[in-house]
Amino acid sequence: MGSGSTRPNNADDKMFAAIERGDQGDFKDRKPPKNTDVQLIKDKALRTEKAQQKTESLRALRLAAEKEKAAEKAAKAK
């Protein structure tokens, strides 16, 4: 083998070398490019915020129902 200069150094070269060798498995890049789609990131943040608000409102409803139930139970005990 040579000095290493003939070895594939980037993902594309490695993929082409794998194809030439006949490897049919899925090629996975060790360092995939980062997703810089700003709109997608904003949409994800918005969905997360909506889910948190929904969770908070459901928690408030549950706590109110528990208080109401406790008040009814106390009223029946008297």
Side-chain angles (χ1 to χ4, degrees), residues 20-32:
E20 289 173 3
R21 284 193 311 267
D23 291 352
Q24 297 299 320
D26 291 335
F27 179 78
K28 294 182 183 172
D29 191 0
R30 274 189 249 160
K31 294 183 180 179

Side-chain angles (χ1 to χ4, degrees), residues 44-63:
K44 280 185 175 182
L46 186 61
R47 282 194 305 258
T48 302
E49 186 178 335
K50 282 183 180 180
Q52 288 175 349
Q53 289 175 350
K54 188 175 182 179
T55 302
E56 289 173 6
S57 64
L58 289 173
R59 182 179 296 132
L61 283 173
R62 181 180 50 84
L63 291 174

Side-chain angles (χ1 to χ4, degrees), residues 1-14:
M1 188 160 210
S3 65
S5 63
T6 59
R7 294 187 66 190
N9 290 327
N10 62 22
D12 292 336
D13 292 341
K14 290 178 184 180

